[in-house]
């Protein structure tokens, strides 16, 4: 195992995120097959435990490679995935997992993963941009949606934290946690708003992304869907925790913020799909970036479901169901390719050396 994990990067946590959102989003849409959602959540929990162990071995025995990942501007942003994997599994514990673990164990597990995931997310939101500015010295042509990952992690905390509020003592404790989640919402929203123009400018001025990176365009859906979900969670929890004017304000925010953002998410989804279809025609093959088709789409499912509850419009319910069908299909394809790559060893192999260019042939002259 020691040698096999040498090239195991933080991007592998995306598989945990995609599996966890498949369970939680499915439960929100149709709670009836509870054993199915609980089984998927247990799979996500098992994947998280396995990856945490493998990454610990990676850091213990391959520190040179681990440091190289931090120095690589293409890999370092994926440390945000560690935070989101912890948070996605923790959030699922409170909804799906409690059916198998019991309420008390689910709350303790969810709270522990929320604290750990939030701490890692805040550290990544500061450390990764610092490394990019001071050590990586990146340029605009290198920009990609991957840069959003460490900035989106606090938004996942903002969406996962509110369900923990009712389990705290009434009064200051509940208000503090809820408003802390609102602060995380603002932190991530403003930071993402600064980075999105950079990504869009790179796309317009630098041309399409490389084929392997094209699926990462779906990462932009993450902050859009997750912020809509978080706004809905604030509206659900605020009554009885905050004074009436603020509780009503959060109810209005869930709709007045969520509807326009969901509209932009659909626009971006269409644009990203067009790029992916083009890349597929040009020969795009499977890489771990295909997991970008899962978690970001899942956040739009939960966001649309939140709008269904707060607007009463069936159209958002149909949108959530349609997006979930896309999520399930994407997860099945990514999981099958990942399992095949693990069995063959291709996904854990090191990067291939660049081919040696043949010597130029020169014609002899007499």
């Amino acid at each position: 195992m020691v040698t096999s994990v040498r090239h195991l990067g933080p991007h592998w946590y995306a598989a945990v995120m995609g599996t966890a959102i498949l369970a939680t989003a499915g439960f929100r849409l149709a709670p009836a097959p509870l054993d199915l959602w609980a089984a998927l959540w247990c799979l996500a929990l098992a994947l998280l435990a396995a990856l945490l162990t493998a990454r610990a071995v990676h850091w213990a025995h391959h520190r040179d490679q681990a440091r190289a990942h931090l120095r690589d501007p293409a890999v370092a942003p994926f440390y945000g995935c560690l935070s989101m994997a912890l948070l996605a599994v923790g959030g699922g514990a409170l909804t799906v997992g409690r059916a198998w673990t019991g309420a008390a164990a689910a709350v303790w597990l969810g709270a522990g993963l929320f604290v750990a995931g939030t701490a890692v997310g805040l550290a990544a939101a500061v450390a990764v941009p610092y490394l990019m500015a001071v050590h990586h010295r990146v340029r605009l042509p290198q920009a990609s949606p991957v840069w959003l990952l460490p900035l989106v992690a606090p938004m996942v905390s903002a969406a996962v934290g509110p369900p923990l509020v009712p389990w705290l003592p009434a009064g200051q404790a509940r208000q503090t946690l809820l408003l802390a989640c609102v602060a995380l919402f603002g932190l991530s929203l403003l930071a993402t708003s600064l980075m999105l123009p950079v990504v869009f400018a790179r796309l317009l001025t630098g041309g399409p992304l490389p084929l392997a990176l094209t699926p990462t365009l779906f990462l932009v859906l993450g902050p859009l869907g997750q912020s809509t979900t978080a706004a809905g969670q604030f509206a659900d929890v605020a009554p009885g925790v905050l004074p009436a004017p603020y509780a009503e304000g959060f109810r209005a925010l869930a709709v007045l913020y969520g509807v326009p953002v969901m509209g932009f998410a659909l626009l971006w989804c269409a644009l990203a799909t067009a790029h992916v279809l083009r890349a597929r025609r040009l020969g795009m093959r499977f890489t771990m970036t295909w997991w970008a088709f899962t978690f970001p789409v899942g956040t739009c499912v939960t966001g649309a479901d939140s709008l269904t509850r707060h607007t009463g419009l069936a159209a958002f319910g149909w949108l959530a169901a349609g997006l979930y069908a896309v999520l399930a299909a994407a997860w099945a394809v990514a999981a099958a390719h990942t399992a095949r790559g693990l069995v063959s060893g291709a996904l854990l192999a090191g990067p291939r050396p660049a081919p040696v260019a043949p010597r130029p042939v020169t014609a002899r002259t007499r």
Side-chain angles (χ1 to χ4, degrees), residues 145 199 203 209 213-221 268 271-272 275-276:
V199 174
L203 194 62
L209 294 175
L213 284 178
T214 301
T216 64
L217 288 171
F218 276 80
L219 294 178
V220 175
L221 298 179
W268 189 271
L271 176 64
H275 276 265
V276 168

Side-chain angles (χ1 to χ4, degrees), residues 114 154 157-162 165 176-186 230 234:
F114 171 75
S157 294
V160 170
V165 170
T176 300
L177 178 56
L178 178 57
L179 292 183
C181 291
V182 176
L184 291 168
F185 174 93
F234 299 156

Side-chain angles (χ1 to χ4, degrees), residues 173-199:
R174 292 184 179 182
Q175 293 177 3
T176 300
L177 178 56
L178 178 57
L179 292 183
C181 291
V182 176
L184 291 168
F185 174 93
L187 180 159
S188 181
L189 180 64
L190 294 177
T192 302
S193 299
L194 293 175
M195 188 63 74
L196 269 177
V198 177
V199 174

Side-chain angles (χ1 to χ4, degrees), residues 22 67 213 244 337 361:
L22 184 71
R67 293 192 184 98
L213 284 178
H337 280 284
V361 179

Side-chain angles (χ1 to χ4, degrees), residues 221-321:
L221 298 179
L224 304 176
Q226 199 66 277
S227 61
T228 303
T229 303
Q233 296 280 48
F234 299 156
D236 293 338
V237 175
V241 176
L242 298 176
Y246 301 108
E248 293 300 322
F250 277 119
R251 288 181 178 176
L253 177 68
V255 176
L256 297 180
Y257 173 86
V259 173
V261 170
M262 188 57 63
F264 179 69
L266 293 177
L267 170 66
W268 189 271
C269 186
L271 176 64
T273 301
H275 276 265
V276 168
L277 293 176
R278 171 190 172 276
R280 190 63 176 163
R281 288 196 304 269
L282 294 177
M284 180 184 71
R285 297 183 178 182
F286 174 77
T287 64
M288 289 298 288
T289 58
W290 282 34
W291 282 100
F293 298 136
T294 58
F295 187 78
V297 175
T299 66
C300 291
V301 173
T302 56
D305 176 70
S306 174
L307 290 175
T308 303
R309 290 184 290 105
H310 290 102
T311 64
L313 295 179
F316 286 114
W318 287 108
L319 174 62

Side-chain angles (χ1 to χ4, degrees), residues 94-195:
L94 295 173
T95 54
V96 183
R98 62 185 298 180
W100 282 12
T101 64
V107 171
W108 280 106
L109 178 60
L113 291 177
F114 171 75
V115 172
T118 301
V120 172
L122 289 174
V126 175
V128 174
Y130 175 83
L131 289 174
M132 293 175 70
V134 176
H135 296 288
H136 296 165
R137 300 301 177 94
V138 294
R139 298 180 180 179
L140 182 60
Q142 297 174 270
S144 78
V146 172
W147 290 7
L148 292 169
L149 288 173
L151 306 178
V152 178
M155 187 64 78
V156 182
S157 294
V160 170
L164 288 168
V165 170
W167 296 94
L168 294 176
Q172 289 279 323
R174 292 184 179 182
Q175 293 177 3
T176 300
L177 178 56
L178 178 57
L179 292 183
C181 291
V182 176
L184 291 168
F185 174 93
L187 180 159
S188 181
L189 180 64
L190 294 177
T192 302
S193 299
L194 293 175
M195 188 63 74

Side-chain angles (χ1 to χ4, degrees), residues 2 29 69 78 80 125 140 154 221 283 299:
V2 173
L29 294 182
H69 286 165
F78 282 100
L140 182 60
L221 298 179
T299 66

